């Protein structure tokens, strides 16, 4: 009985901005801590988070998909690097060598295969895979449309276009599944490449139909509409934005490449940023758009953002204060990476949302048991606009 | 799908483990075997440090050619370099002078474009003109043949700033400066006729025949201007970069794999639970 009850309460998710903080800090950890000991922890933590907040839709599959893509990249990378790079002193084995001519890149294929090249290429590949896994976990647990709603108002139309483009893939998946089921009901055996035609053609047809419907509905809802008399404001704002961007480019090149004093480049950059900000504010004012169904930022979101921020600060501090423990580079001679408890703490801290979510779910379940009717609505923390 | 997720996580863990896989604890340098075999080829190596002191090496090798990086590695000088894959490298630190990559960037003294930019400049010796010139290749892709010579110098290199002029003959003339690495594992060569005691450094007497070097050197010396020989190098106490690594961290591996696999399996189970509920 209690099991049935508990399973009724879904794990409540967090505010999209809290998730954004979390994914940025996770990527920061992957980027700053190069100690290989962090990698299994990062993958494990991301799996725990993606699993804890998984929903039945196809979006939740993105974590597994991106991890698989990352592992594939890693394997390809190791093979290519081992075949072409022969630096390092620890020879694993020697294979026949093929020296390509100069016009083919002057590469030496095969030959001495060293442990250093294998280790380094594998670690770099896995670091890339971990980065993809962070992205996959973020896509699995958040609603991408809510993420796009965080854009400033004048970018709302661009955001809408991106939303539609993003919706394309899951919609295709769903349409393909529907068509496959329908064909199966008709007695068609769906298997492998041979059934591509009976599945793909209906999917394409429905996709075209859907896009026409979408365009009509956007037209009806006034896509691209502006306030009366806003054309001049908009034109000036665009000119100001362009000027601001150019000024920023000039200022940063002053900062980077010239011997001019620092304050000069900095002030040029600042004026460019100011112009850009004014232009964006003006552009936002002419877009008549309000937000509906805002998300509520609760104490749990504060806790998640705090955990994520502390994780990132910890990672940066470790990189700065103890670079020997935070980095690992096998060249010129491979060695065992140093083990450091801080690495373990940082790696496990990425799984904070999973533990916070479990705690919150437990509280909700207990409240539900005490007062079944009074239990707060858990799964969707969306409130009405204030 | 869920089984595959778990499999993917396990694969990730296993790959990470493989990455940490069995490493030989001894850093047997390849020159050990090279020295043991009859080495037929020689290349010179001149390294000039920040304080102007120099080290010269005459490196024997049996291959028809080695890379410039191989030459540096076989000199036995402690080394740090950044590898870009495909054989291209940037040398960051030689003999404790330079940038301790990866704790610092490889070109750590070039971070401010307005100030000086110091790094290990790579020069190759031209046999016909007898002069140093910028190497057009990186150390990892430059091919060093018998009678070639490489030069490294720490400093600014906006205009060519090579080590002092020298000749292959001077470096490889069999004088006391010919000091290939004090390789710990090198066995005395069996090829030489005269029995030698094991205490003898394997490189001073047997590995090269003085006559070959002399004739070789004479041939080269004839084509170089007289007086191009270098002043006697001052030997420098080489400071090794900070020690890294050590023994196999069994506890660390156990802790990390335990946490990682545990969290991963927890996530996979929760994923399966969530997907079982109909939408």
């Amino acid at each position: 009985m209690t099991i049935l009850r508990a399973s009724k309460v879904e794990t409540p998710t967090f505010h999209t901005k809290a998730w954004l903080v979390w994914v940025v800090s996770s990527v920061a950890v992957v980027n700053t801590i190069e100690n290989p000991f962090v990698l299994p922890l990062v993958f494990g933590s991301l799996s725990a988070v993606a699993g804890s907040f998984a929903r039945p839709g196809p979006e939740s599959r993105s974590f597994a998909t991106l991890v698989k893509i990352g592992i594939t990249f890693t394997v390809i990378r190791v093979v290519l690097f081992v075949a072409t790079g022969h630096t390092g002193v620890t020879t694993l084995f020697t294979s026949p060598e093929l020296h390509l001519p100069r016009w083919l890149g002057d590469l030496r294929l095969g030959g001495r295969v060293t442990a250093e090249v294998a280790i380094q290429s594998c670690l770099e590949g896995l670091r890339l895979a971990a980065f993809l896994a962070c992205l996959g976990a973020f896509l699995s647990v958040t609603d991408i449309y809510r993420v796009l709603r965080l854009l400033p108002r004048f970018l709302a139309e661009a955001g809408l276009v991106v939303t539609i483009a993003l919706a394309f893939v899951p919609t295709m998946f769903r349409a393909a599944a529907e068509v496959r089921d329908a064909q199966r009901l008709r007695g068609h055996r769906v298997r492998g490449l041979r059934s591509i035609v009976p599945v793909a053609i209906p999917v394409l047809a429905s996709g075209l139909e859907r896009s026409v419907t979408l365009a009509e509905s956007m037209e009806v809802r006034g896509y691209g509409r502006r306030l009366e008399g806003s054309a001049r404001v908009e034109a000036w704002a665009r000119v100001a934005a362009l000027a601001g961007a150019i000024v920023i480019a000039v200022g940063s090149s002053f900062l980077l490449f010239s011997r001019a004093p620092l304050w000069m480049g900095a002030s040029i950059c600042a004026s460019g940023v100011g112009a850009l900000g004014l232009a964006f504010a003006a552009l936002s004012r002419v877009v008549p758009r309000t937000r509906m169904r805002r998300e509520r930022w609760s104490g749990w979101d504060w806790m998640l953002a705090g955990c994520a921020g502390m994780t990132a600060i910890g990672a940066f501090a470790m990189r700065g204060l103890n670079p020997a423990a935070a980095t690992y580079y096998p060249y010129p001679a491979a060695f065992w990476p140093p083990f450091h408890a801080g690495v373990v703490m940082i790696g496990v801290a990425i799984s904070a949302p999973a533990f916070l979510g479990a705690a919150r779910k437990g509280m909700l379940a207990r409240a539900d048991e005490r007062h079944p009717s009074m239990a707060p609505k858990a799964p969707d923390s969306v409130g009405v606009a204030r | 799908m869920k089984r595959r997720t778990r499999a993917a996580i396990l694969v990730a863990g296993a790959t990470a483990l493989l990455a940490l896989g069995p490493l030989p604890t001894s850093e047997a340098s390849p020159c050990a075997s090279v020295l043991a075999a009859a080495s037929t080829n020689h290349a010179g190596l001149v390294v000039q440090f920040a304080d102007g002191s120099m080290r010269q090496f005459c490196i024997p090798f049996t291959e028809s050619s080695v890379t410039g990086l191989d030459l540096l590695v076989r000199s036995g000088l402690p080394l740090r370099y950044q590898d870009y894959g495909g054989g291209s490298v940037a040398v960051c630190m030689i003999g404790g002078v330079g940038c301790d990559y990866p704790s610092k960037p490889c070109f750590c003294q070039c971070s401010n474009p307005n100030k000086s930019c110091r790094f290990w400049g790579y020069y190759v010796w031209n046999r016909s003109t007898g002069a140093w010139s910028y190497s057009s290749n990186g150390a990892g892709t430059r091919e060093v043949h018998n009678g070639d010579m490489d030069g490294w110098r720490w400093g600014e290199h906006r205009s060519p700033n090579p080590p002092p002029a020298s000749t292959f003959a001077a470096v490889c003339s069999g004088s006391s400066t010919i000091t290939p690495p004090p390789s710990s594992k090198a066995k005395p060569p069996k090829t030489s006729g005269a029995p030698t005691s094991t205490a003898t450094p394997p490189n001073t007497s047997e590995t090269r025949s003085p006559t070959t070097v002399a004739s070789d050197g004479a041939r080269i010396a004839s084509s170089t201007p007289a007086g191009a020989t270098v002043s006697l190098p001052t030997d420098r106490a080489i400071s090794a970069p900070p020690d890294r690594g050590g023994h196999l961290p069994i506890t660390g591996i156990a802790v990390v794999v335990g946490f990682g696999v545990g969290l991963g399996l927890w996530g996979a189970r929760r994923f399966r639970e969530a997907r079982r509920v109909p939408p």
Side-chain angles (χ1 to χ4, degrees):
Chain A
M1 191 62 203
T2 42
I3 295 166
L4 271 179
R5 252 219 137 70
S7 70
K8 246 193 220 167
V9 179
E10 279 181 43
T11 309
T13 189
F14 293 94
H15 195 286
T16 308
K17 281 180 188 164
W19 279 121
L20 212 57
V21 174
W22 172 77
V23 75
V24 167
S25 93
S26 307
V27 169
V29 166
V30 172
N31 265 338
T32 49
I33 306 291
E34 288 172 7
N35 192 324
F37 278 124
V38 89
L39 284 171
L41 297 169
V42 166
F43 281 111
S45 299
L46 291 175
S47 157
V49 172
S52 293
F53 297 92
R55 288 155 300 155
E59 297 84 7
S60 295
R61 251 183 259 159
S62 40
F63 173 68
T65 312
L66 282 179
V67 166
K68 272 180 233 157
I69 291 173
I71 302 277
T72 315
F73 274 146
T74 307
V75 172
I76 294 171
R77 190 185 175 95
V78 169
V79 170
L80 284 180
F81 272 62
V82 157
T84 58
H86 315 290
T87 44
V89 297
T90 319
T91 309
L92 291 179
F93 58 89
T94 311
S95 71
E97 189 176 305
L98 178 70
H99 196 158
L100 294 183
R102 188 167 280 274
W103 54 272
L104 267 178
D106 208 12
L107 282 176
R108 285 161 182 272
L109 295 182
R112 217 158 58 86
V113 170
T114 63
E116 286 80 13
V117 173
I119 291 171
Q120 179 63 11
S121 56
C122 181
L123 288 179
E124 278 175 356
L126 285 177
R127 238 169 261 145
L128 187 73
F131 179 73
L132 285 179
C134 287
L135 224 66
F138 180 69
L139 291 176
S140 290
V141 300
T142 53
D143 189 350
I144 194 68
Y145 309 117
R146 288 203 190 143
V147 178
L148 285 168
R149 271 196 220 171
L150 299 178
L151 285 173
R153 235 192 309 170
F154 74 97
L155 283 177
E157 280 172 5
L160 183 64
V161 172
V162 175
T163 303
I164 292 165
L166 284 173
F168 177 74
V169 177
T171 319
M172 280 296 261
F173 274 129
R174 209 169 286 144
E178 277 166 14
V179 170
R180 213 174 44 218
D181 289 348
Q183 297 285 37
R184 233 183 241 148
L185 282 177
R186 291 188 191 104
H188 183 89
R189 282 195 190 168
V190 181
R191 59 159 96 116
L193 275 176
R194 257 186 300 164
S195 36
I196 241 182
V197 172
V199 173
I201 288 177
V203 169
L204 267 180
S206 67
L208 283 174
E209 215 166 277
R210 204 174 295 118
S211 62
V212 170
T213 319
L214 180 72
E216 282 171 357
S217 65
M218 279 164 74
E219 187 83 39
V220 164
R221 286 176 177 83
Y223 178 79
R225 194 184 42 165
R226 291 283 181 278
L227 288 180
E228 291 268 333
S230 64
R232 267 185 63 194
V233 179
E234 206 174 331
W236 276 114
R238 280 182 204 282
V239 170
L242 185 67
I246 291 171
V247 168
I248 289 175
V250 170
S252 47
S253 61
F254 256 94
L255 278 180
L256 287 175
F257 307 117
S258 100
R259 283 159 193 267
L262 192 72
W263 60 265
M264 213 168 128
S267 56
I268 292 175
C269 270
S271 59
V273 168
L276 214 56
L278 283 177
F280 285 173
L283 280 173
S284 283
R285 213 168 299 139
V286 298
V287 179
R289 203 184 136 92
T290 51
R291 298 237 161 94
M292 227 185 103
R293 279 160 60 89
R294 291 181 197 215
E295 292 176 76
R296 268 195 218 126
W297 181 275
S298 73
W300 292 94
D301 297 313
W302 278 119
M303 278 161 79
L304 175 56
C307 281
M310 272 171 4
T311 310
I313 291 171
F316 283 122
M318 187 159 177
R319 179 73 193 235
L321 299 176
N322 193 354
T327 55
Y328 176 77
Y329 201 65
Y331 296 109
F335 60 98
W336 288 107
F339 177 70
H340 197 275
V343 169
V344 178
M345 279 161 63
I346 289 169
V348 173
I350 292 177
S351 64
F355 290 102
L356 286 175
R360 194 177 178 189
K361 184 183 170 185
M363 280 180 65
L364 286 173
R366 276 197 297 281
D368 189 37
E369 237 166 63
R370 262 180 267 132
H371 313 283
S373 58
M374 299 276 287
K377 196 143 170 30
D380 199 27
S381 65
V382 171
V384 182
R386 272 159 282 174
Chain B
M1 173 45 52
K2 298 119 205 175
R3 229 186 312 143
R4 272 198 241 146
T5 317
R6 188 195 283 185
I9 291 154
L10 283 180
V11 165
T15 327
L17 259 188
L18 269 185
L20 308 166
L23 301 180
T25 42
S26 71
E27 294 173 6
S29 101
C31 54
S33 57
V34 172
L35 286 178
S39 55
T40 49
N41 300 322
H42 294 87
L45 177 67
V46 178
V47 182
Q48 189 172 29
F49 296 93
D51 54 359
S53 63
M54 278 185 27
R55 288 288 292 263
Q56 298 191 358
F57 302 89
C58 184
I59 313 280
F61 54 95
T62 49
E63 302 93 325
S64 63
S65 75
V66 293
T67 66
L69 184 71
D70 284 337
L71 219 58
L72 259 187
V73 168
R74 290 176 195 195
S75 75
L77 288 170
L79 200 63
R80 289 284 154 85
Y81 60 87
Q82 183 174 4
D83 191 285
Y84 299 103
S88 45
V89 296
V91 171
C92 317
M93 183 188 253
I94 302 175
V97 173
C99 307
D100 187 15
Y101 187 83
S103 295
K104 285 176 185 168
C106 186
F107 294 94
C108 61
Q109 300 214 15
C110 295
S111 45
N112 189 344
N114 298 340
K115 301 226 173 92
S116 64
C117 173
R118 289 169 196 283
F119 58 95
W120 277 104
Y122 185 35
Y123 294 87
V124 296
W125 182 69
N126 189 326
R127 289 181 203 231
S128 50
T129 63
W132 292 109
S133 61
Y134 281 134
S135 173
S136 55
N137 284 28
T141 50
R142 141 120 167 124
E143 282 179 37
V144 182
H145 297 273
N146 187 28
D148 282 343
M149 190 159 71
D150 279 7
W152 291 88
R153 181 163 184 181
W154 175 260
E156 293 200 59
H157 300 278
R158 281 200 179 128
S159 53
N161 181 19
S166 179
T167 61
F168 176 74
V171 173
C172 277
S173 62
S175 71
S176 63
T177 58
I178 302 173
T179 49
S183 174
S184 51
K185 296 265 164 24
K187 289 207 170 66
K190 302 252 163 66
T191 48
S192 72
T196 49
S197 77
T198 47
T200 318
N203 38 45
T204 46
S205 52
E206 290 87 3
T207 51
R208 68 186 60 82
S209 80
T211 52
T212 337
V213 171
S215 62
D216 201 15
R219 181 166 49 77
I220 291 157
S222 62
S223 66
T224 49
T229 48
V230 71
S231 59
L232 266 182
T234 40
D235 263 12
R236 181 180 175 281
I238 297 301
S239 63
D243 192 31
R244 324 186 283 189
H247 53 278
L248 170 66
I250 290 278
T251 342
I253 292 175
V255 167
V256 165
V257 169
F259 267 115
V261 170
L263 283 168
L265 290 182
W266 181 41
R269 225 188 70 196
R270 298 292 305 274
F271 185 77
R272 219 176 311 141
E273 277 170 13
R275 310 276 297 182
R276 203 184 291 138
V277 183

